[in-house]
Amino acid sequence: MQIRDTAVATPDKPAIIMHPSGTVVTFGQLEARANQLAHLFRSAGLVEGDAVAMLMENSEHFHAVMWAARRAGLYYVPINTHLTAAEVAYIVDNSSAKAIVGSGGLRELLAGLEAELPNGLPAVRLIVDGDLEGWQSYPECVADQPVTPIDDEIEGDLLQYSSGTTGRPKGIKRALTHQTPAEVPGLMAALIGFWMHPEAVYLSPAPLYHTAPSVWSMQTQAGGITTVILDKFSPDGTLEAIQKYRVTHGQFVPVMFTRMLKMPEAVRTSYDVSSLERVMHAAAPCPVEIKKQMIDWWGPIVDEYYASSEAIGSTLISAEEWLTHPGSVGRSMMTPLHILDEDGNELPPGEAGEIYFEGGADFEYLNDPDKTASSRDSHGWKTVGDIGYLDEDGYLYLTDRRHHMIISGGVNIYPQEAENVLVTHPKVMDAAVFGIPDEEMGQRVKGVVQTVDQADATDAFAEELLAWLRDRLSHYKCPRSISFEAQLPRTDTGKLYKQGLIEQYSR
């Protein structure tokens, strides 16, 4: 996986366009910057298998750090910028990072790290577009480094930490290949052949510290394709970027679709999105009605895949297939897929159970052998705890996460179903459904809603919404009550941090 061929052939072609600033980094510049940083890492003593922590907002420098680490045989560890100093310190310490690269915009957070780290800060500390005592200012600190490759290039990898929606984040680590970058299989070739082409313009609207945005944008650049990176997602900013840069491809999460669809129709349809050829979405289940509305708006170009940071397997479904299998996330692409019950027995089509993939990448949860072991069954098949079922044609339908399941009166209830219906109400921006303690039933179903207009967050609307939901869903699956929050605790990739809500409404 390389950008070098494009940097040599067309050095002035944009590799990165930041939006809304319009800052451009060419392939020639990106190649040079990555080489300079790789030299700095080597001169500081970092060797194959060491880790570089990254605490940065989306910026023109994010990819240079990842490419530098990757070609120096290092693990690069992107960290969620919304975490506290203690939470960031846990990841820096848990990953045994030998270097950290942070952004000037997070200066106060960086300054608070040392007090939280039991073994102190990593020896190599770079701050991007800023200054901090004890830290080297980047890019000034690499000005005297060569722009040519290091002599001992070796392939590194992403060391991604989970979103931590059910506890502390888990490091997902794969063994390095010990191959040079030139020897590593070209992952981009198949993707370009199926989905993109060299003249495509790819939009990445999500934070690059998440798995899919970082991996897909790097693979896209490896294919010589220009990537447009949003500083931060917003519905109007996304549509503006598509129109301005004639974006052809992009990757989204369902909550982004919902927020674009909640814009006034006259506003959202005023943008020219005719350049779009295909878009992909993943990371969280997409409500059927939301996806139908996106296809009505953008055309049958909204493809979908299901995967995980663990890379144990994946499914894919095109927009055209989805229209004949609405709600499905597709069929397994590379490895056999199994649906198992709690005793490890394979379930027939139509019955929901835990999703396992046979084969796929091997990985470990860093420093957590018990968690690693629990992700395998007796066959060695792997799971991340998602629940779903297959239809007769082998198409997978997601039901929910295992830890989200509500057991009320002995009945299993998957809250995703109610959430998916609630967000289709025109006055609802977002919804969370979860179980809270109930003396009689064990758990009862609770709903919390974020309205489009705060003025609608009333007891009268809660009752109206409950009646509306009961007309569309079996009553036992519906919340017994609905409360309102100004903002739900959702990650940038659409995952809900439900634990805080459960604690709040269980009191």
Side-chain angles (χ1 to χ4, degrees):
M1 192 163 72
Q2 280 283 12
I3 56 171
R4 188 163 296 148
D5 290 345
T6 307
V8 171
T10 53
D12 295 329
K13 181 176 181 179
I16 299 164
I17 302 174
M18 297 301 302
H19 184 75
S21 69
T23 300
V24 173
V25 179
T26 67
F27 275 95
Q29 291 170 327
L30 182 57
E31 170 70 14
R33 294 176 185 184
N35 286 333
Q36 287 180 306
L37 262 174
H39 277 285
L40 184 145
F41 290 146
R42 275 290 184 271
S43 67
L46 273 69
V47 298
E48 183 187 16
D50 286 341
V52 177
M54 300 173 62
L55 188 65
M56 303 169 65
E57 309 104 330
N58 285 7
S59 79
E60 63 176 288
H61 301 294
F62 205 110
H63 285 93
V65 180
M66 292 195 292
W67 281 113
R70 190 161 194 111
R71 61 186 53 182
L74 308 177
Y75 287 103
Y76 47 102
V77 188
I79 301 175
N80 189 324
T81 58
H82 299 297
L83 300 182
T84 64
E87 291 168 328
V88 172
Y90 167 77
I91 293 175
V92 173
D93 181 63
N94 188 258
S95 65
S96 302
K98 299 289 182 64
I100 181 169
V101 184
S103 64
L106 299 169
R107 188 177 185 277
E108 291 187 13
L109 182 56
L110 296 173
L113 286 181
E114 187 167 15
E116 301 290 347
L117 283 162
N119 300 310
L121 286 163
V124 180
R125 303 183 291 275
L126 310 183
I127 183 168
V128 175
D129 293 335
D131 62 88
L132 184 61
E133 185 178 354
W135 294 60
Q136 298 180 73
S137 295
Y138 177 88
E140 293 81 3
C141 64
V142 298
D144 60 348
Q145 295 289 348
V147 297
T148 52
I150 57 175
D151 293 332
D152 59 342
E153 282 192 335
I154 196 78
E155 187 77 352
D157 200 1
L158 171 70
L159 172 51
Q160 185 70 56
Y161 276 74
S162 69
S163 56
T165 53
T166 57
R168 274 188 157 175
K170 303 176 292 291
I172 300 163
K173 188 174 184 179
R174 288 170 288 275
L176 297 178
T177 64
H178 309 301
Q179 295 176 296
T180 67
E183 294 172 319
V184 174
L187 300 177
M188 200 53 206
L191 180 59
I192 290 176
F194 158 71
W195 202 60
M196 280 193 272
H197 51 80
E199 300 310 311
V201 177
Y202 176 78
L203 177 66
S204 184
L208 291 167
Y209 56 71
H210 288 297
T211 304
S214 62
V215 170
W216 278 67
S217 60
M218 288 185 80
Q219 290 182 337
T220 300
Q221 291 165 2
I225 293 168
T226 298
T227 56
V228 178
I229 309 292
L230 294 192
D231 285 352
K232 184 178 181 179
F233 170 78
S234 68
D236 53 341
T238 298
L239 296 172
E240 183 181 81
I242 292 170
Q243 176 176 278
K244 182 174 183 178
Y245 302 109
R246 304 300 294 162
V247 168
T248 60
H249 295 74
Q251 185 175 183
F252 300 86
V253 297
V255 69
M256 295 176 180
F257 290 162
T258 302
R259 289 177 182 172
M260 285 188 284
L261 288 166
K262 299 293 182 180
M263 296 173 72
E265 185 173 3
V267 175
R268 66 175 173 83
T269 57
S270 68
Y271 290 94
D272 180 3
V273 296
S274 61
S275 60
L276 290 174
E277 297 175 16
R278 308 295 302 190
V279 301
M280 188 75 77
H281 72 92
C286 186
V288 170
E289 287 305 314
I290 296 297
K291 186 159 180 177
K292 284 180 178 177
Q293 291 175 45
M294 288 303 301
I295 291 175
D296 288 342
W297 179 17
W298 285 0
I301 64 168
V302 185
D303 303 325
E304 181 175 2
Y305 73 95
Y306 161 69
S308 64
S309 298
E310 289 83 347
I312 59 173
S314 58
T315 66
L316 178 68
I317 189 166
S318 68
E320 294 86 351
E321 284 180 286
W322 186 90
L323 288 169
T324 61
H325 295 81
S328 174
V329 295
R331 290 187 284 192
S332 184
M333 282 198 284
M334 304 290 291
T335 58
L337 185 159
H338 305 274
I339 306 296
L340 306 183
D341 66 16
E342 293 179 355
D343 297 319
N345 301 309
E346 194 131 13
L347 292 169
E351 289 194 28
E354 196 159 352
I355 302 166
Y356 282 80
F357 284 95
E358 180 180 342
D362 203 10
F363 73 95
E364 64 171 309
Y365 290 115
L366 189 60
N367 303 320
D368 195 340
D370 292 339
K371 176 69 176 175
T372 302
S374 69
S375 67
R376 276 77 164 169
D377 77 344
S378 59
H379 303 89
W381 302 342
K382 307 179 190 77
T383 183
V384 295
D386 288 338
I387 303 294
Y389 65 91
L390 295 171
D391 67 14
E392 295 286 352
D393 299 319
Y395 283 87
L396 177 65
Y397 296 76
L398 299 179
T399 305
D400 216 322
R401 297 302 302 269
R402 175 176 54 195
H403 58 266
H404 287 168
M405 187 175 72
I406 302 165
I407 303 177
S408 183
V411 177
N412 294 348
I413 299 169
Y414 294 104
Q416 178 189 305
E417 195 171 359
E419 292 168 352
N420 287 351
V421 177
L422 282 168
V423 296
T424 65
H425 192 285
K427 293 182 179 181
V428 174
M429 177 65 77
D430 204 356
V433 176
F434 47 88
I436 58 176
D438 184 275
E439 289 186 5
E440 180 184 0
M441 305 296 285
Q443 286 182 304
R444 68 178 181 272
V445 185
K446 175 67 182 177
V448 178
V449 162
Q450 175 186 337
T451 54
V452 175
D453 185 341
Q454 274 289 101
D456 289 321
T458 64
D459 291 343
F461 180 58
E463 291 303 316
E464 176 189 327
L465 193 56
L466 280 172
W468 178 88
L469 183 61
R470 288 169 183 153
D471 286 340
R472 290 160 176 79
L473 199 62
S474 299
H475 288 202
Y476 78 91
K477 299 178 181 178
C478 296
R480 300 266 290 275
S481 64
I482 287 178
S483 298
F484 298 98
E485 294 286 338
Q487 182 78 43
L488 291 186
R490 191 179 285 275
T491 71
D492 304 295
T493 56
K495 295 178 181 177
L496 275 168
Y497 285 102
K498 290 189 178 182
Q499 190 56 43
L501 293 172
I502 293 170
E503 292 172 2
Q504 178 182 342
Y505 287 95
S506 295
R507 295 176 189 140

